[in-house]
PDB file of all heavy atoms in Angstrom:
ATOM      1  N   TYR A 575      15.722 -10.087   4.955  1.00 93.00           N
ATOM      2  CA  TYR A 575      16.637 -11.183   4.625  1.00 93.00           C
ATOM      3  C   TYR A 575      15.906 -12.532   4.798  1.00 93.00           C
ATOM      4  O   TYR A 575      15.948 -13.415   3.937  1.00 93.00           O
ATOM      5  CB  TYR A 575      17.834 -11.092   5.536  1.00 93.00           C
ATOM      6  CG  TYR A 575      18.770 -12.245   5.493  1.00 93.00           C
ATOM      7  CD1 TYR A 575      19.693 -12.409   4.387  1.00 93.00           C
ATOM      8  CD2 TYR A 575      18.762 -13.223   6.462  1.00 93.00           C
ATOM      9  CE1 TYR A 575      20.564 -13.474   4.350  1.00 93.00           C
ATOM     10  CE2 TYR A 575      19.644 -14.322   6.420  1.00 93.00           C
ATOM     11  CZ  TYR A 575      20.514 -14.464   5.369  1.00 93.00           C
ATOM     12  OH  TYR A 575      21.431 -15.529   5.289  1.00 93.00           O
TER      13      TYR A 575
ATOM     14  N   MET T 127      17.455 -19.324  13.743  1.00 78.00           N
ATOM     15  CA  MET T 127      18.143 -18.583  12.650  1.00 78.00           C
ATOM     16  C   MET T 127      18.947 -17.415  13.244  1.00 78.00           C
ATOM     17  O   MET T 127      18.320 -16.490  13.883  1.00 78.00           O
ATOM     18  CB  MET T 127      17.063 -18.085  11.573  1.00 78.00           C
ATOM     19  CG  MET T 127      17.644 -16.975  10.670  1.00 78.00           C
ATOM     20  SD  MET T 127      19.010 -17.493   9.681  1.00 78.00           S
ATOM     21  CE  MET T 127      18.184 -18.522   8.474  1.00 78.00           C
ATOM     22  N   THR T 128      20.200 -17.413  13.158  1.00 89.00           N
ATOM     23  CA  THR T 128      21.033 -16.345  13.739  1.00 89.00           C
ATOM     24  C   THR T 128      21.957 -15.811  12.632  1.00 89.00           C
ATOM     25  O   THR T 128      22.596 -16.540  11.928  1.00 89.00           O
ATOM     26  CB  THR T 128      21.907 -16.851  14.900  1.00 89.00           C
ATOM     27  OG1 THR T 128      21.038 -17.473  15.803  1.00 89.00           O
ATOM     28  CG2 THR T 128      22.588 -15.675  15.579  1.00 89.00           C
ATOM     29  N   VAL T 129      22.009 -14.488  12.469  1.00 93.00           N
ATOM     30  CA  VAL T 129      22.997 -13.890  11.580  1.00 93.00           C
ATOM     31  C   VAL T 129      23.537 -12.598  12.226  1.00 93.00           C
ATOM     32  O   VAL T 129      22.897 -12.048  13.157  1.00 93.00           O
ATOM     33  CB  VAL T 129      22.405 -13.536  10.172  1.00 93.00           C
ATOM     34  CG1 VAL T 129      21.892 -14.744   9.412  1.00 93.00           C
ATOM     35  CG2 VAL T 129      21.291 -12.486  10.267  1.00 93.00           C
ATOM     36  N   ASP T 130      24.653 -12.137  11.723  1.00 94.00           N
ATOM     37  CA  ASP T 130      25.133 -10.887  12.203  1.00 94.00           C
ATOM     38  C   ASP T 130      24.714  -9.813  11.182  1.00 94.00           C
ATOM     39  O   ASP T 130      24.791 -10.080   9.927  1.00 94.00           O
ATOM     40  CB  ASP T 130      26.659 -10.888  12.249  1.00 94.00           C
ATOM     41  CG  ASP T 130      27.148 -11.693  13.493  1.00 94.00           C
ATOM     42  OD1 ASP T 130      26.287 -12.028  14.346  1.00 94.00           O
ATOM     43  OD2 ASP T 130      28.375 -11.971  13.614  1.00 94.00           O
ATOM     44  N   LYS T 191      23.644  -9.180  -0.058  1.00 90.00           N
ATOM     45  CA  LYS T 191      23.777  -9.142   1.362  1.00 90.00           C
ATOM     46  C   LYS T 191      23.868  -7.644   1.871  1.00 90.00           C
ATOM     47  O   LYS T 191      23.888  -7.452   3.070  1.00 90.00           O
ATOM     48  CB  LYS T 191      25.095  -9.907   1.863  1.00 90.00           C
ATOM     49  CG  LYS T 191      25.101 -11.335   1.396  1.00 90.00           C
ATOM     50  CD  LYS T 191      24.332 -12.248   2.340  1.00 90.00           C
ATOM     51  CE  LYS T 191      24.039 -13.574   1.707  1.00 90.00           C
ATOM     52  NZ  LYS T 191      25.165 -14.444   1.541  1.00 90.00           N
ATOM     53  N   VAL T 206      24.405  -8.033   5.769  1.00 94.00           N
ATOM     54  CA  VAL T 206      24.085  -9.279   6.478  1.00 94.00           C
ATOM     55  C   VAL T 206      25.293 -10.212   6.388  1.00 94.00           C
ATOM     56  O   VAL T 206      25.806 -10.446   5.282  1.00 94.00           O
ATOM     57  CB  VAL T 206      22.867  -9.994   5.868  1.00 94.00           C
ATOM     58  CG1 VAL T 206      22.628 -11.388   6.530  1.00 94.00           C
ATOM     59  CG2 VAL T 206      21.578  -9.126   6.068  1.00 94.00           C
ATOM     60  N   ILE T 207      25.771 -10.602   7.550  1.00 92.00           N
ATOM     61  CA  ILE T 207      26.913 -11.581   7.537  1.00 92.00           C
ATOM     62  C   ILE T 207      26.345 -12.915   8.021  1.00 92.00           C
ATOM     63  O   ILE T 207      26.191 -13.181   9.234  1.00 92.00           O
ATOM     64  CB  ILE T 207      28.012 -11.052   8.445  1.00 92.00           C
ATOM     65  CG1 ILE T 207      28.421  -9.664   8.015  1.00 92.00           C
ATOM     66  CG2 ILE T 207      29.218 -12.020   8.438  1.00 92.00           C
ATOM     67  CD1 ILE T 207      29.201  -8.876   9.027  1.00 92.00           C
ATOM     68  N   ASP T 208      25.931 -13.740   7.073  1.00 87.00           N
ATOM     69  CA  ASP T 208      25.439 -15.053   7.409  1.00 87.00           C
ATOM     70  C   ASP T 208      26.503 -16.111   7.228  1.00 87.00           C
ATOM     71  O   ASP T 208      27.667 -15.741   6.984  1.00 87.00           O
ATOM     72  CB  ASP T 208      24.202 -15.403   6.549  1.00 87.00           C
ATOM     73  CG  ASP T 208      24.459 -15.299   5.088  1.00 87.00           C
ATOM     74  OD1 ASP T 208      25.636 -15.115   4.710  1.00 87.00           O
ATOM     75  OD2 ASP T 208      23.492 -15.383   4.305  1.00 87.00           O
ATOM     76  N   ALA T 209      26.212 -17.323   7.371  1.00 83.00           N
ATOM     77  CA  ALA T 209      27.211 -18.430   7.301  1.00 83.00           C
ATOM     78  C   ALA T 209      27.992 -18.312   6.010  1.00 83.00           C
ATOM     79  O   ALA T 209      29.212 -18.393   6.002  1.00 83.00           O
ATOM     80  CB  ALA T 209      26.538 -19.767   7.498  1.00 83.00           C
ATOM     81  N   GLU T 210      27.222 -18.130   4.963  1.00 81.00           N
ATOM     82  CA  GLU T 210      27.909 -18.094   3.592  1.00 81.00           C
ATOM     83  C   GLU T 210      28.950 -16.909   3.587  1.00 81.00           C
ATOM     84  O   GLU T 210      30.057 -17.113   3.139  1.00 81.00           O
ATOM     85  CB  GLU T 210      26.825 -17.870   2.569  1.00 81.00           C
ATOM     86  CG  GLU T 210      27.271 -17.913   1.161  1.00 81.00           C
ATOM     87  CD  GLU T 210      26.232 -17.347   0.202  1.00 81.00           C
ATOM     88  OE1 GLU T 210      25.084 -17.144   0.606  1.00 81.00           O
ATOM     89  OE2 GLU T 210      26.597 -17.157  -0.974  1.00 81.00           O
ATOM     90  N   ALA T 211      28.494 -15.756   4.065  1.00 79.00           N
ATOM     91  CA  ALA T 211      29.408 -14.614   4.030  1.00 79.00           C
ATOM     92  C   ALA T 211      30.633 -14.835   4.917  1.00 79.00           C
ATOM     93  O   ALA T 211      31.731 -14.492   4.560  1.00 79.00           O
ATOM     94  CB  ALA T 211      28.645 -13.382   4.481  1.00 79.00           C
ATOM     95  N   LYS T 212      30.388 -15.456   6.057  1.00 80.00           N
ATOM     96  CA  LYS T 212      31.539 -15.720   6.984  1.00 80.00           C
ATOM     97  C   LYS T 212      32.535 -16.705   6.295  1.00 80.00           C
ATOM     98  O   LYS T 212      33.723 -16.467   6.402  1.00 80.00           O
ATOM     99  CB  LYS T 212      31.006 -16.353   8.281  1.00 80.00           C
ATOM    100  CG  LYS T 212      30.470 -15.296   9.232  1.00 80.00           C
ATOM    101  CD  LYS T 212      29.906 -15.930  10.505  1.00 80.00           C
ATOM    102  CE  LYS T 212      29.221 -14.915  11.387  1.00 80.00           C
ATOM    103  NZ  LYS T 212      28.356 -15.516  12.344  1.00 80.00           N
ATOM    104  N   TYR T 213      32.009 -17.683   5.630  1.00 79.00           N
ATOM    105  CA  TYR T 213      32.865 -18.599   4.914  1.00 79.00           C
ATOM    106  C   TYR T 213      33.633 -17.888   3.841  1.00 79.00           C
ATOM    107  O   TYR T 213      34.899 -18.068   3.761  1.00 79.00           O
ATOM    108  CB  TYR T 213      31.928 -19.664   4.279  1.00 79.00           C
ATOM    109  CG  TYR T 213      32.660 -20.728   3.436  1.00 79.00           C
ATOM    110  CD1 TYR T 213      33.454 -21.750   4.039  1.00 79.00           C
ATOM    111  CD2 TYR T 213      32.595 -20.659   2.013  1.00 79.00           C
ATOM    112  CE1 TYR T 213      34.123 -22.665   3.246  1.00 79.00           C
ATOM    113  CE2 TYR T 213      33.239 -21.574   1.265  1.00 79.00           C
ATOM    114  CZ  TYR T 213      33.989 -22.605   1.875  1.00 79.00           C
ATOM    115  OH  TYR T 213      34.690 -23.483   1.092  1.00 79.00           O
ATOM    116  N   GLN T 214      32.993 -17.082   3.095  1.00 74.00           N
ATOM    117  CA  GLN T 214      33.666 -16.277   2.037  1.00 74.00           C
ATOM    118  C   GLN T 214      34.787 -15.388   2.671  1.00 74.00           C
ATOM    119  O   GLN T 214      35.881 -15.286   2.113  1.00 74.00           O
ATOM    120  CB  GLN T 214      32.651 -15.364   1.282  1.00 74.00           C
ATOM    121  CG  GLN T 214      31.571 -16.092   0.563  1.00 74.00           C
ATOM    122  CD  GLN T 214      32.104 -16.680  -0.775  1.00 74.00           C
ATOM    123  OE1 GLN T 214      33.204 -16.427  -1.199  1.00 74.00           O
ATOM    124  NE2 GLN T 214      31.273 -17.530  -1.334  1.00 74.00           N
ATOM    125  N   MET T 215      34.416 -14.743   3.797  1.00 74.00           N
ATOM    126  CA  MET T 215      35.362 -13.863   4.385  1.00 74.00           C
ATOM    127  C   MET T 215      36.586 -14.613   4.929  1.00 74.00           C
ATOM    128  O   MET T 215      37.733 -14.177   4.798  1.00 74.00           O
ATOM    129  CB  MET T 215      34.722 -13.086   5.569  1.00 74.00           C
ATOM    130  CG  MET T 215      33.917 -11.902   5.048  1.00 74.00           C
ATOM    131  SD  MET T 215      32.728 -11.306   6.255  1.00 74.00           S
ATOM    132  CE  MET T 215      33.795 -10.458   7.371  1.00 74.00           C
ATOM    133  N   ALA T 216      36.297 -15.822   5.486  1.00 73.00           N
ATOM    134  CA  ALA T 216      37.366 -16.641   6.005  1.00 73.00           C
ATOM    135  C   ALA T 216      38.378 -17.012   4.837  1.00 73.00           C
ATOM    136  O   ALA T 216      39.529 -17.145   5.015  1.00 73.00           O
ATOM    137  CB  ALA T 216      36.802 -17.870   6.610  1.00 73.00           C
TER     138      ALA T 216
END
Side-chain angles (χ1 to χ4, degrees):
Chain A
Y575 172 79
Chain T
M127 165 59 76
T128 307
V129 298
D130 285 350
K191 302 279 161 69
V206 173
I207 304 161
D208 56 7
E210 186 194 348
K212 281 180 185 160
Y213 176 75
Q214 297 283 351
M215 280 161 74

